């Protein structure tokens, strides 16, 4: 919010026009009509934007040398309009009106070119009929007195009525920009978190692979193949928005098989999958919990009855991942950068639409993660 206010502080600064108007009215320089609040609002809005927009775009104007030339041209156009209006001395001079329209279109285009380019059709749809109607009344409907009578009922401020609509449309565009900025920031943070996947496992596996090759073990090709599949999945599939559950299961199974090769002790590893493998989910969310189960459970367990039980199911429109392991009583799965990484990724991806539960006893640890699949 602070960043948003900072970006548009020029519009807050321009509100100084309000006390200035009242001060000028107090000293008799201008007179603020009490019986026409709409006219006061429109004039105030006009001068507020006339002050705010140049300040808001000051850096742009300063950077662009061509802009100075454009400002000079627009100034010249405005002076020409004043001269023409003075010399011809005709009420609501159509020539002056046309020149002034060109002037204000140029001013707005200079200040917010992207908005004009995007919505020029809407602006033309609003103002071209109004302009044609004015020319018809002024030149073809009747004499000057007839036009002045009509003007009492349809004063010039009808040309200002669309301005609030266009202004709020512009505000909406800025709001969308702000939301996209937050989204891009979240995506950048998420990409950074995914890039922080702990390489410790890969280094250990490479060391084990080296030992297997020294011994000319027939397990070496299998390790190379599984490690290659895991690295490919982490590098390429992990960057995707969604993967199938089948791909994620294959990734988890490869991880488990590589750990089985590493350990000399027996580990009871049970995996139960009851889920449509074609469902799509966000990638690399389960692996951290599995890593923790091995690191803080199997590796810390000095006996021969270490276990990891893992279930992946689909219940009540949520993919549910449960993993339970035993540990020696001094280790815990709750700490570490990996789990904090996971929690932050879950917040960025799902907001509050997920569940992450921990259940710890004296020597068992269970984690339940529920996430929505891709619709």
């Amino acid at each position: 919010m602070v960043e948003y206010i900072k970006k548009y502080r020029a519009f807050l600064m321009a509100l100084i026009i309000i006390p200035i108007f009242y001060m000028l009215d107090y000293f008799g320089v201008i007179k603020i009509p009490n019986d026409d609040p709409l006219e006061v609002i429109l004039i105030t809005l006009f001068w507020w934007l006339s002050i705010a927009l140049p300040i808001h775009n000051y850096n742009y104007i300063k950077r662009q040398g061509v802009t100075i030339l454009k400002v000079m041209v627009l100034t010249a156009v405005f002076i020409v309009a004043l001269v023409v209006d003075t010399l011809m001395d005709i009420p609501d001079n159509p020539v002056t009106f046309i020149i002034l329209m060109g002037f204000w279109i140029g001013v707005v285009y200079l200040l917010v070119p992207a908005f004009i380019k995007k919505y020029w059709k809407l602006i033309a749809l609003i103002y071209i009929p109004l302009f044609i109607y004015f020319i018809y009344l002024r030149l073809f409907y009747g004499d000057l007195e007839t036009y002045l009578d009509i003007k009492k009922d349809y004063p010039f401020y009808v040309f200002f009525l669309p301005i609030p609509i266009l202004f709020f449309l512009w505000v909406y565009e800025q709001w969308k920009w702000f939301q996209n900025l937050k989204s891009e920031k979240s995506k950048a943070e998420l990409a950074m978190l995914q890039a922080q996947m702990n390489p410790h496992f890969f280094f250990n596996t490479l060391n084990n692979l080296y030992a297997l090759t020294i011994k000319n073990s027939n397990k070496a090709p299998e390790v190379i193949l599984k490690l290659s599949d895991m690295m490919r999945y982490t590098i390429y599939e992990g960057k995707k928005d969604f993967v199938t559950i089948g791909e994620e299961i294959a990734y988890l199974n490869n991880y488990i098989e590589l750990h089985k090769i590493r350990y000399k002790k027996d580990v009871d590893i049970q995996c139960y999958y009851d889920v449509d493998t074609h469902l799509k989910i966000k990638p690399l969310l389960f692996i951290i919990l599995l890593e923790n189960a091995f690191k803080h459970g199997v590796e810390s367990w000095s006996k021969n009855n270490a276990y990891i039980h893992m279930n992946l199911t689909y219940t009540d429109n949520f993919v549910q991942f449960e993993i339970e392991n035993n540990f020696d009583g001094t280790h815990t799965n709750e700490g570490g950068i990996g789990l904090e990484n996971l929690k932050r990724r879950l917040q960025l991806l799902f907001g509050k639409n997920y569940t992450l539960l921990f259940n710890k006893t004296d020597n068992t640890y269970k984690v339940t993660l529920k996430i929505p699949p891709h619709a």
Side-chain angles (χ1 to χ4, degrees):
M1 188 63 184
V2 174
E3 183 178 356
Y4 193 75
I5 294 174
K6 184 177 179 181
K7 178 177 174 61
Y8 296 105
R9 62 183 180 274
F11 294 92
L12 296 176
M13 295 167 58
L15 291 175
I16 195 174
I17 193 66
I18 296 175
I20 289 176
F21 275 172
Y22 278 103
M23 183 178 69
L24 293 175
D25 179 68
Y26 178 79
F27 288 105
V29 178
I30 64 173
K31 181 171 179 59
I32 300 177
N34 297 322
D35 57 345
D36 198 346
L38 180 59
E39 180 182 353
V40 174
I41 292 173
L42 291 174
I43 292 175
T44 303
L45 177 63
F46 167 77
W47 284 108
W48 174 62
L49 292 176
S50 298
I51 295 173
L53 290 175
I55 298 175
H56 178 68
N57 292 275
Y58 172 74
N59 289 331
Y60 168 80
I61 295 173
K62 185 178 179 180
R63 288 195 308 268
Q64 304 295 327
V66 178
T67 304
I68 298 175
L69 179 60
K70 292 179 180 179
V71 171
M72 294 175 63
V73 171
L74 288 172
T75 304
V77 170
F78 185 72
I79 293 173
V80 169
L82 293 179
V83 171
V84 169
D85 193 59
T86 302
L87 294 177
M88 297 184 70
D89 195 23
I90 300 174
D92 293 345
N93 187 344
V95 177
T96 304
F97 187 82
I98 293 171
I99 297 174
L100 286 176
M101 278 195 65
F103 168 76
W104 287 116
I105 291 173
V107 169
V108 176
Y109 183 80
L110 179 66
L111 296 175
V112 284
F115 180 80
I116 297 298
K117 288 178 181 178
K118 184 174 182 179
Y119 291 103
W120 70 268
K121 292 182 180 179
L122 175 63
I123 295 171
L125 183 65
I126 293 173
Y127 277 103
I128 287 178
L130 288 174
F131 174 72
I132 293 174
Y133 183 61
F134 164 74
I135 295 297
Y136 169 72
L137 290 179
R138 183 64 183 84
L139 300 179
F140 303 106
Y141 186 75
D143 56 18
L144 179 59
E145 292 183 1
T146 303
Y147 165 75
L148 293 176
D149 289 336
I150 295 174
K151 183 183 174 182
K152 294 178 181 178
D153 297 324
Y154 301 96
F156 265 123
Y157 62 68
V158 295
F159 285 91
F160 293 95
L161 292 180
I163 290 179
I165 298 174
L166 296 175
F167 174 72
F168 284 116
L169 184 60
W170 177 80
V171 170
Y172 171 70
E173 286 290 323
Q174 302 310 303
W175 177 82
K176 284 203 306 182
W177 167 85
F178 182 66
Q179 296 301 314
N180 289 335
L181 180 66
K182 292 198 298 183
S183 176
E184 290 300 320
K185 182 179 178 181
S186 296
K187 288 180 181 179
E189 183 179 355
L190 185 60
M192 181 190 70
L193 290 170
Q194 288 188 194
Q196 290 176 350
M197 297 293 293
N198 192 351
H200 179 72
F201 163 75
F202 289 109
F203 289 131
N204 280 344
T205 304
L206 287 172
N207 287 332
N208 288 323
L209 177 60
Y210 175 75
L212 292 173
T213 56
I214 292 295
K215 297 176 182 178
N216 292 321
S217 171
N218 57 4
K219 292 183 178 181
E222 180 184 356
V223 172
I224 292 174
L225 182 61
K226 292 185 181 300
L227 183 62
S228 175
D229 286 342
M230 288 196 66
M231 294 182 71
R232 177 196 58 79
Y233 187 87
T234 302
I235 294 171
Y236 296 107
E237 304 302 315
K239 292 181 179 179
K240 293 182 178 180
D241 289 334
F242 296 95
V243 296
T244 65
I245 289 184
E247 292 173 314
E248 194 76 5
I249 289 174
Y251 179 70
L252 297 176
N253 286 338
N254 277 339
Y255 184 88
I256 292 170
E257 292 302 318
L258 285 175
H259 268 289
K260 286 181 178 179
I261 294 173
R262 287 183 56 204
Y263 296 130
K264 295 181 180 180
K265 59 184 177 182
D266 292 330
V267 180
D268 177 23
I269 300 177
Q270 298 181 19
C271 303
Y272 174 74
Y273 306 122
D274 184 15
V275 62
D276 181 0
T277 56
H278 295 94
L279 278 176
K280 291 190 174 183
I281 57 173
K282 293 289 185 179
L284 302 175
L285 294 177
F286 306 140
I287 186 64
I288 292 177
L289 299 177
L290 183 58
E291 283 180 350
N292 280 359
F294 276 104
K295 181 179 179 181
H296 299 290
V298 174
E299 293 183 9
S300 70
W301 192 259
S302 58
K303 304 175 184 178
N304 289 324
N305 60 343
Y307 73 86
I308 295 177
H309 295 166
M310 185 170 64
N311 298 322
L312 186 60
T313 58
Y314 183 65
T315 307
D316 297 329
N317 297 320
F318 278 84
V319 175
Q320 179 168 305
F321 179 80
E322 292 181 332
I323 185 165
E324 181 179 338
N325 62 274
N326 52 1
F327 63 100
D328 68 357
T330 60
H331 287 71
T332 175
N333 300 38
E334 295 183 11
I337 297 175
L339 198 54
E340 292 303 316
N341 180 309
L342 175 63
K343 290 177 180 179
R344 182 57 182 156
R345 286 175 63 200
L346 290 171
Q347 291 173 359
L348 290 172
L349 290 171
F350 307 115
K352 296 182 179 180
N353 191 30
Y354 76 93
T355 301
L356 181 62
L357 301 175
F358 303 92
N359 185 13
K360 179 183 175 185
T361 64
D362 290 339
N363 58 5
T364 63
Y365 194 84
K366 182 178 181 180
V367 183
T368 301
L369 172 61
K370 293 183 180 179
I371 59 172
H374 177 51

